[in-house]
Amino acid sequence: MQIINNYFRERVSMVYMMTNNEVMNQIIAFYRDINGMLTFVGAYPTHGRGTGSKEVSTATANEGIDPLASQGALTLSRDRRFLLAVNAGSNSISSFIITDSGALVFMDMKSSGGAQPNSVDVFGNIVYVSNVGNADNNFASNITGFRIDENGRLITPIPESTYSLSTFNAQPAQVLFTPDGSKILVSELTSNHLSVFHVNRRGTLTGPIVNESYGQGPLGAYFLSSGILLVTEAISNALSSYSLSNDGILQVISGSVQSGYMTACWVVTTRDERFAYITNTLSGTISTYQIDPNGALSVVGHITSTPSGTAPGLPMDVRVSRDGRHFYTLNGNQGTVSVFNIQDDGSLVRLQVAAWTDIPYFGSQGLAVL
């Protein structure tokens, strides 16, 4: 028990990103000051391997950007004590304790229960990871469950907790608990399905209930506190919103509201949930959507991830700071993090493009803000 007693004090503010390096995957840590600006402070090995710039599936272009084709490759526990990372190159997941200084302490690594894990989420002591599969098993996809103990160690997979998706080769893009932890949603990039599982008391699941995505290429997903679901559509270049019933059925609220740019992939909201931000990766832009109280969506603005006149950054993973003042996005073609101030009207003001290395780094994926 002594190991965890040191980590209950108020922590500094941090931003973490993942290199996904094929030799040794690492977590890159930035200190975040009171104005949201970032300073590189260190790198922490996951003791697993990433894929580098290699894509996890032949279904997506192998251009070195977004190799895991997923949201949630790097995830904080809801109590902000633990950080979880996928190692798609060594078929494993890693866990860290976050100390009060923001430094990471490696705790555990376990097989992911499948091939090429690309997204992970945790609710309480239950962890689920999505596995894309590989060419040798015809890209057999699944999700697999674990428990995490109070010291951040991953316990052997929950018995009978590996579940197939809507089809054997439905490429998962995100595994995500609902706000109350009663269900899990899996966005399926290649089948255009949104699969919903019920979480049982023992941590096992029932399902999936298979829902059709309104648009093509569902990738990133985000639940509002009300349970309304937002889903990006990488092929439709759009964002959709849904209501979710107790039986796992999704009903469309706003269907495929297009951003006007290419490849809508990641999504997050402001803390008051009045606005959503999506990254249009191949266009190098971030779009702002207004969210009405009933979940209806409308586009209200756009901004480039990096300043004009500089090397264009292609934005991927996104997060908002806990105080709601700052928005962060990972530029997948640079390995940099763009920092923005969030205005009262939801618009973004760019503050910084933070780097941890002097040379552009391809292959990084995953972002977490403490």
mmCIF file of all heavy atoms in Angstrom, residues 177-183 222-230 241-246 250 253 269-274 291-297:
data_model
loop_
_atom_site.group_PDB
_atom_site.id
_atom_site.type_symbol
_atom_site.label_atom_id
_atom_site.label_comp_id
_atom_site.label_asym_id
_atom_site.label_seq_id
_atom_site.Cartn_x
_atom_site.Cartn_y
_atom_site.Cartn_z
ATOM 1 N N PHE A 177 -15.604 3.865 -22.654
ATOM 2 C CA PHE A 177 -16.681 3.683 -21.682
ATOM 3 C C PHE A 177 -17.652 4.859 -21.746
ATOM 4 O O PHE A 177 -17.255 6.005 -22.000
ATOM 5 C CB PHE A 177 -16.114 3.614 -20.259
ATOM 6 C CG PHE A 177 -15.515 2.296 -19.880
ATOM 7 C CD1 PHE A 177 -14.156 2.053 -20.053
ATOM 8 C CD2 PHE A 177 -16.298 1.288 -19.321
ATOM 9 C CE1 PHE A 177 -13.589 0.846 -19.688
ATOM 10 C CE2 PHE A 177 -15.745 0.074 -18.952
ATOM 11 C CZ PHE A 177 -14.387 -0.150 -19.140
ATOM 12 N N THR A 178 -18.929 4.582 -21.467
ATOM 13 C CA THR A 178 -19.896 5.657 -21.263
ATOM 14 C C THR A 178 -19.574 6.383 -19.956
ATOM 15 O O THR A 178 -18.835 5.852 -19.115
ATOM 16 C CB THR A 178 -21.324 5.097 -21.205
ATOM 17 O OG1 THR A 178 -21.389 4.093 -20.174
ATOM 18 C CG2 THR A 178 -21.744 4.495 -22.535
ATOM 19 N N PRO A 179 -20.109 7.586 -19.741
ATOM 20 C CA PRO A 179 -19.774 8.340 -18.525
ATOM 21 C C PRO A 179 -20.084 7.607 -17.230
ATOM 22 O O PRO A 179 -19.388 7.820 -16.223
ATOM 23 C CB PRO A 179 -20.630 9.614 -18.662
ATOM 24 C CG PRO A 179 -20.781 9.797 -20.135
ATOM 25 C CD PRO A 179 -20.894 8.414 -20.688
ATOM 26 N N ASP A 180 -21.112 6.742 -17.226
ATOM 27 C CA ASP A 180 -21.437 6.005 -15.998
ATOM 28 C C ASP A 180 -20.799 4.627 -15.939
ATOM 29 O O ASP A 180 -20.980 3.890 -14.972
ATOM 30 C CB ASP A 180 -22.959 5.884 -15.835
ATOM 31 C CG ASP A 180 -23.617 5.070 -16.941
ATOM 32 O OD1 ASP A 180 -22.912 4.577 -17.854
ATOM 33 O OD2 ASP A 180 -24.858 4.922 -16.909
ATOM 34 N N GLY A 181 -20.019 4.262 -16.973
ATOM 35 C CA GLY A 181 -19.320 2.985 -16.986
ATOM 36 C C GLY A 181 -20.193 1.783 -17.262
ATOM 37 O O GLY A 181 -19.721 0.642 -17.180
ATOM 38 N N SER A 182 -21.446 1.984 -17.629
ATOM 39 C CA SER A 182 -22.368 0.860 -17.819
ATOM 40 C C SER A 182 -22.240 0.206 -19.187
ATOM 41 O O SER A 182 -22.691 -0.924 -19.383
ATOM 42 C CB SER A 182 -23.818 1.316 -17.621
ATOM 43 O OG SER A 182 -24.209 2.227 -18.644
ATOM 44 N N LYS A 183 -21.624 0.920 -20.143
ATOM 45 C CA LYS A 183 -21.501 0.407 -21.502
ATOM 46 C C LYS A 183 -20.135 0.784 -22.065
ATOM 47 O O LYS A 183 -19.463 1.687 -21.562
ATOM 48 C CB LYS A 183 -22.606 0.975 -22.413
ATOM 49 C CG LYS A 183 -24.021 0.634 -21.985
ATOM 50 C CD LYS A 183 -25.047 1.282 -22.887
ATOM 51 C CE LYS A 183 -26.453 1.042 -22.385
ATOM 52 N NZ LYS A 183 -26.690 1.711 -21.072
ATOM 53 N N TYR A 222 -16.574 10.621 -28.495
ATOM 54 C CA TYR A 222 -16.523 11.353 -27.227
ATOM 55 C C TYR A 222 -17.936 11.418 -26.666
ATOM 56 O O TYR A 222 -18.881 11.774 -27.374
ATOM 57 C CB TYR A 222 -15.980 12.767 -27.461
ATOM 58 C CG TYR A 222 -15.705 13.540 -26.193
ATOM 59 C CD1 TYR A 222 -14.442 13.531 -25.609
ATOM 60 C CD2 TYR A 222 -16.706 14.285 -25.567
ATOM 61 C CE1 TYR A 222 -14.177 14.242 -24.442
ATOM 62 C CE2 TYR A 222 -16.456 14.999 -24.405
ATOM 63 C CZ TYR A 222 -15.193 14.971 -23.849
ATOM 64 O OH TYR A 222 -14.939 15.669 -22.698
ATOM 65 N N PHE A 223 -18.087 11.065 -25.381
ATOM 66 C CA PHE A 223 -19.381 11.151 -24.720
ATOM 67 C C PHE A 223 -19.474 12.456 -23.934
ATOM 68 O O PHE A 223 -18.569 12.800 -23.159
ATOM 69 C CB PHE A 223 -19.573 9.989 -23.738
ATOM 70 C CG PHE A 223 -20.021 8.710 -24.381
ATOM 71 C CD1 PHE A 223 -19.147 7.636 -24.510
ATOM 72 C CD2 PHE A 223 -21.319 8.571 -24.839
ATOM 73 C CE1 PHE A 223 -19.567 6.453 -25.086
ATOM 74 C CE2 PHE A 223 -21.745 7.386 -25.428
ATOM 75 C CZ PHE A 223 -20.875 6.327 -25.548
ATOM 76 N N LEU A 224 -20.580 13.176 -24.097
ATOM 77 C CA LEU A 224 -20.900 14.272 -23.202
ATOM 78 C C LEU A 224 -21.370 13.698 -21.874
ATOM 79 O O LEU A 224 -21.740 12.527 -21.772
ATOM 80 C CB LEU A 224 -21.996 15.152 -23.800
ATOM 81 C CG LEU A 224 -21.780 15.727 -25.204
ATOM 82 C CD1 LEU A 224 -22.903 16.703 -25.545
ATOM 83 C CD2 LEU A 224 -20.436 16.389 -25.340
ATOM 84 N N SER A 225 -21.372 14.529 -20.832
ATOM 85 C CA SER A 225 -21.810 14.056 -19.521
ATOM 86 C C SER A 225 -23.256 13.598 -19.541
ATOM 87 O O SER A 225 -23.669 12.756 -18.746
ATOM 88 C CB SER A 225 -21.626 15.167 -18.483
ATOM 89 O OG SER A 225 -22.337 16.331 -18.860
ATOM 90 N N SER A 226 -24.049 14.118 -20.478
ATOM 91 C CA SER A 226 -25.451 13.723 -20.622
ATOM 92 C C SER A 226 -25.620 12.354 -21.269
ATOM 93 O O SER A 226 -26.720 11.801 -21.283
ATOM 94 C CB SER A 226 -26.192 14.752 -21.473
ATOM 95 O OG SER A 226 -25.646 14.781 -22.791
ATOM 96 N N GLY A 227 -24.533 11.813 -21.828
ATOM 97 C CA GLY A 227 -24.586 10.546 -22.545
ATOM 98 C C GLY A 227 -24.684 10.710 -24.041
ATOM 99 O O GLY A 227 -24.600 9.722 -24.785
ATOM 100 N N ILE A 228 -24.863 11.944 -24.536
ATOM 101 C CA ILE A 228 -24.857 12.182 -25.983
ATOM 102 C C ILE A 228 -23.474 11.839 -26.532
ATOM 103 O O ILE A 228 -22.446 12.152 -25.932
ATOM 104 C CB ILE A 228 -25.231 13.642 -26.304
ATOM 105 C CG1 ILE A 228 -26.724 13.860 -26.033
ATOM 106 C CG2 ILE A 228 -24.891 14.009 -27.743
ATOM 107 C CD1 ILE A 228 -27.161 15.303 -26.138
ATOM 108 N N LEU A 229 -23.464 11.178 -27.674
ATOM 109 C CA LEU A 229 -22.228 10.682 -28.281
ATOM 110 C C LEU A 229 -21.878 11.498 -29.516
ATOM 111 O O LEU A 229 -22.737 11.741 -30.373
ATOM 112 C CB LEU A 229 -22.407 9.214 -28.680
ATOM 113 C CG LEU A 229 -21.271 8.560 -29.484
ATOM 114 C CD1 LEU A 229 -20.009 8.434 -28.650
ATOM 115 C CD2 LEU A 229 -21.717 7.190 -30.010
ATOM 116 N N LEU A 230 -20.613 11.901 -29.614
ATOM 117 C CA LEU A 230 -20.079 12.536 -30.813
ATOM 118 C C LEU A 230 -19.121 11.570 -31.492
ATOM 119 O O LEU A 230 -18.302 10.937 -30.822
ATOM 120 C CB LEU A 230 -19.329 13.823 -30.466
ATOM 121 C CG LEU A 230 -20.062 14.874 -29.631
ATOM 122 C CD1 LEU A 230 -19.158 16.078 -29.395
ATOM 123 C CD2 LEU A 230 -21.366 15.292 -30.281
ATOM 124 N N SER A 241 -23.749 13.374 -34.161
ATOM 125 C CA SER A 241 -24.125 13.218 -32.757
ATOM 126 C C SER A 241 -25.273 12.235 -32.647
ATOM 127 O O SER A 241 -26.113 12.122 -33.550
ATOM 128 C CB SER A 241 -24.507 14.568 -32.144
ATOM 129 O OG SER A 241 -25.578 15.169 -32.834
ATOM 130 N N TYR A 242 -25.283 11.514 -31.518
ATOM 131 C CA TYR A 242 -26.269 10.453 -31.289
ATOM 132 C C TYR A 242 -26.738 10.495 -29.839
ATOM 133 O O TYR A 242 -25.979 10.870 -28.934
ATOM 134 C CB TYR A 242 -25.668 9.062 -31.520
ATOM 135 C CG TYR A 242 -25.060 8.797 -32.861
ATOM 136 C CD1 TYR A 242 -23.757 9.209 -33.160
ATOM 137 C CD2 TYR A 242 -25.762 8.098 -33.841
ATOM 138 C CE1 TYR A 242 -23.177 8.942 -34.393
ATOM 139 C CE2 TYR A 242 -25.185 7.819 -35.083
ATOM 140 C CZ TYR A 242 -23.898 8.248 -35.339
ATOM 141 O OH TYR A 242 -23.328 7.973 -36.562
ATOM 142 N N SER A 243 -27.953 10.028 -29.622
ATOM 143 C CA SER A 243 -28.400 9.663 -28.279
ATOM 144 C C SER A 243 -28.253 8.157 -28.132
ATOM 145 O O SER A 243 -28.323 7.418 -29.119
ATOM 146 C CB SER A 243 -29.850 10.087 -28.047
ATOM 147 O OG SER A 243 -30.714 9.419 -28.962
ATOM 148 N N LEU A 244 -28.019 7.686 -26.910
ATOM 149 C CA LEU A 244 -27.808 6.263 -26.648
ATOM 150 C C LEU A 244 -28.850 5.792 -25.646
ATOM 151 O O LEU A 244 -28.932 6.307 -24.531
ATOM 152 C CB LEU A 244 -26.398 6.036 -26.092
ATOM 153 C CG LEU A 244 -26.034 4.618 -25.646
ATOM 154 C CD1 LEU A 244 -26.141 3.628 -26.801
ATOM 155 C CD2 LEU A 244 -24.628 4.589 -25.043
ATOM 156 N N SER A 245 -29.644 4.797 -26.039
ATOM 157 C CA SER A 245 -30.683 4.271 -25.157
ATOM 158 C C SER A 245 -30.083 3.247 -24.194
ATOM 159 O O SER A 245 -28.957 2.774 -24.382
ATOM 160 C CB SER A 245 -31.794 3.616 -25.974
ATOM 161 O OG SER A 245 -31.320 2.441 -26.617
ATOM 162 N N ASN A 246 -30.834 2.893 -23.185
ATOM 163 C CA ASN A 246 -30.368 1.919 -22.197
ATOM 164 C C ASN A 246 -30.083 0.561 -22.815
ATOM 165 O O ASN A 246 -29.259 -0.201 -22.300
ATOM 166 C CB ASN A 246 -31.400 1.766 -21.075
ATOM 167 C CG ASN A 246 -31.428 2.972 -20.150
ATOM 168 O OD1 ASN A 246 -30.433 3.689 -20.029
ATOM 169 N ND2 ASN A 246 -32.563 3.215 -19.517
ATOM 170 N N LEU A 250 -28.390 3.415 -30.804
ATOM 171 C CA LEU A 250 -28.058 4.806 -31.086
ATOM 172 C C LEU A 250 -29.092 5.428 -32.019
ATOM 173 O O LEU A 250 -29.500 4.807 -33.001
ATOM 174 C CB LEU A 250 -26.679 4.900 -31.735
ATOM 175 C CG LEU A 250 -25.478 4.531 -30.848
ATOM 176 C CD1 LEU A 250 -24.208 4.424 -31.686
ATOM 177 C CD2 LEU A 250 -25.294 5.551 -29.730
ATOM 178 N N ILE A 253 -28.860 12.395 -33.931
ATOM 179 C CA ILE A 253 -29.354 13.745 -33.650
ATOM 180 C C ILE A 253 -28.963 14.658 -34.811
ATOM 181 O O ILE A 253 -29.817 15.222 -35.484
ATOM 182 C CB ILE A 253 -28.790 14.275 -32.319
ATOM 183 C CG1 ILE A 253 -29.196 13.370 -31.158
ATOM 184 C CG2 ILE A 253 -29.267 15.712 -32.077
ATOM 185 C CD1 ILE A 253 -28.514 13.706 -29.839
ATOM 186 N N THR A 269 -14.463 17.983 -26.434
ATOM 187 C CA THR A 269 -15.311 19.155 -26.203
ATOM 188 C C THR A 269 -14.676 20.083 -25.175
ATOM 189 O O THR A 269 -13.760 19.698 -24.440
ATOM 190 C CB THR A 269 -16.707 18.762 -25.687
ATOM 191 O OG1 THR A 269 -16.616 18.334 -24.320
ATOM 192 C CG2 THR A 269 -17.335 17.679 -26.548
ATOM 193 N N THR A 270 -15.200 21.313 -25.127
ATOM 194 C CA THR A 270 -14.866 22.208 -24.040
ATOM 195 C C THR A 270 -15.448 21.648 -22.745
ATOM 196 O O THR A 270 -16.337 20.791 -22.761
ATOM 197 C CB THR A 270 -15.438 23.614 -24.298
ATOM 198 O OG1 THR A 270 -16.844 23.508 -24.569
ATOM 199 C CG2 THR A 270 -14.750 24.281 -25.470
ATOM 200 N N ARG A 271 -14.950 22.124 -21.612
ATOM 201 C CA ARG A 271 -15.412 21.601 -20.329
ATOM 202 C C ARG A 271 -16.899 21.864 -20.099
ATOM 203 O O ARG A 271 -17.584 21.065 -19.459
ATOM 204 C CB ARG A 271 -14.588 22.182 -19.177
ATOM 205 C CG ARG A 271 -13.163 21.671 -19.130
ATOM 206 C CD ARG A 271 -13.116 20.160 -19.018
ATOM 207 N NE ARG A 271 -11.750 19.660 -19.001
ATOM 208 C CZ ARG A 271 -11.394 18.460 -19.422
ATOM 209 N NH1 ARG A 271 -12.297 17.635 -19.915
ATOM 210 N NH2 ARG A 271 -10.139 18.059 -19.362
ATOM 211 N N ASP A 272 -17.417 22.987 -20.609
ATOM 212 C CA ASP A 272 -18.848 23.254 -20.451
ATOM 213 C C ASP A 272 -19.695 22.571 -21.520
ATOM 214 O O ASP A 272 -20.916 22.712 -21.525
ATOM 215 C CB ASP A 272 -19.125 24.761 -20.438
ATOM 216 C CG ASP A 272 -18.693 25.463 -21.731
ATOM 217 O OD1 ASP A 272 -18.382 24.775 -22.728
ATOM 218 O OD2 ASP A 272 -18.671 26.710 -21.731
ATOM 219 N N GLU A 273 -19.041 21.856 -22.440
ATOM 220 C CA GLU A 273 -19.687 21.045 -23.475
ATOM 221 C C GLU A 273 -20.538 21.870 -24.438
ATOM 222 O O GLU A 273 -21.437 21.350 -25.091
ATOM 223 C CB GLU A 273 -20.519 19.912 -22.844
ATOM 224 C CG GLU A 273 -19.663 18.978 -22.004
ATOM 225 C CD GLU A 273 -20.417 17.808 -21.402
ATOM 226 O OE1 GLU A 273 -21.667 17.841 -21.402
ATOM 227 O OE2 GLU A 273 -19.763 16.862 -20.927
ATOM 228 N N ARG A 274 -20.211 23.156 -24.566
ATOM 229 C CA ARG A 274 -20.906 24.009 -25.532
ATOM 230 C C ARG A 274 -20.285 23.905 -26.922
ATOM 231 O O ARG A 274 -20.942 24.231 -27.917
ATOM 232 C CB ARG A 274 -20.882 25.459 -25.063
ATOM 233 C CG ARG A 274 -21.683 25.735 -23.803
ATOM 234 C CD ARG A 274 -21.450 27.155 -23.311
ATOM 235 N NE ARG A 274 -21.706 28.137 -24.367
ATOM 236 C CZ ARG A 274 -20.957 29.215 -24.584
ATOM 237 N NH1 ARG A 274 -19.878 29.441 -23.840
ATOM 238 N NH2 ARG A 274 -21.273 30.057 -25.547
ATOM 239 N N ILE A 291 -22.430 22.979 -29.939
ATOM 240 C CA ILE A 291 -23.308 21.886 -29.529
ATOM 241 C C ILE A 291 -24.528 22.486 -28.834
ATOM 242 O O ILE A 291 -24.394 23.112 -27.774
ATOM 243 C CB ILE A 291 -22.601 20.915 -28.563
ATOM 244 C CG1 ILE A 291 -21.247 20.462 -29.113
ATOM 245 C CG2 ILE A 291 -23.494 19.716 -28.259
ATOM 246 C CD1 ILE A 291 -20.398 19.711 -28.107
ATOM 247 N N ASP A 292 -25.699 22.320 -29.425
ATOM 248 C CA ASP A 292 -26.919 22.785 -28.778
ATOM 249 C C ASP A 292 -27.249 21.883 -27.590
ATOM 250 O O ASP A 292 -26.755 20.747 -27.511
ATOM 251 C CB ASP A 292 -28.084 22.773 -29.768
ATOM 252 C CG ASP A 292 -27.946 23.872 -30.814
ATOM 253 O OD1 ASP A 292 -27.091 24.759 -30.628
ATOM 254 O OD2 ASP A 292 -28.688 23.835 -31.814
ATOM 255 N N PRO A 293 -28.091 22.349 -26.657
ATOM 256 C CA PRO A 293 -28.426 21.527 -25.488
ATOM 257 C C PRO A 293 -28.992 20.156 -25.834
ATOM 258 O O PRO A 293 -28.813 19.201 -25.074
ATOM 259 C CB PRO A 293 -29.460 22.386 -24.752
ATOM 260 C CG PRO A 293 -29.093 23.790 -25.109
ATOM 261 C CD PRO A 293 -28.640 23.721 -26.535
ATOM 262 N N ASN A 294 -29.641 20.038 -27.000
ATOM 263 C CA ASN A 294 -30.197 18.735 -27.397
ATOM 264 C C ASN A 294 -29.210 17.893 -28.189
ATOM 265 O O ASN A 294 -29.546 16.799 -28.638
ATOM 266 C CB ASN A 294 -31.481 18.937 -28.212
ATOM 267 C CG ASN A 294 -31.214 19.621 -29.544
ATOM 268 O OD1 ASN A 294 -30.096 20.053 -29.824
ATOM 269 N ND2 ASN A 294 -32.248 19.716 -30.366
ATOM 270 N N GLY A 295 -27.969 18.412 -28.378
ATOM 271 C CA GLY A 295 -26.944 17.657 -29.090
ATOM 272 C C GLY A 295 -26.815 17.975 -30.563
ATOM 273 O O GLY A 295 -25.969 17.382 -31.240
ATOM 274 N N ALA A 296 -27.613 18.912 -31.082
ATOM 275 C CA ALA A 296 -27.497 19.297 -32.481
ATOM 276 C C ALA A 296 -26.186 20.055 -32.710
ATOM 277 O O ALA A 296 -25.733 20.817 -31.846
ATOM 278 C CB ALA A 296 -28.682 20.156 -32.904
ATOM 279 N N LEU A 297 -25.589 19.856 -33.883
ATOM 280 C CA LEU A 297 -24.257 20.386 -34.188
ATOM 281 C C LEU A 297 -24.308 21.420 -35.310
ATOM 282 O O LEU A 297 -25.087 21.286 -36.256
ATOM 283 C CB LEU A 297 -23.325 19.252 -34.622
ATOM 284 C CG LEU A 297 -23.163 18.075 -33.661
ATOM 285 C CD1 LEU A 297 -22.352 16.967 -34.335
ATOM 286 C CD2 LEU A 297 -22.499 18.523 -32.362
#
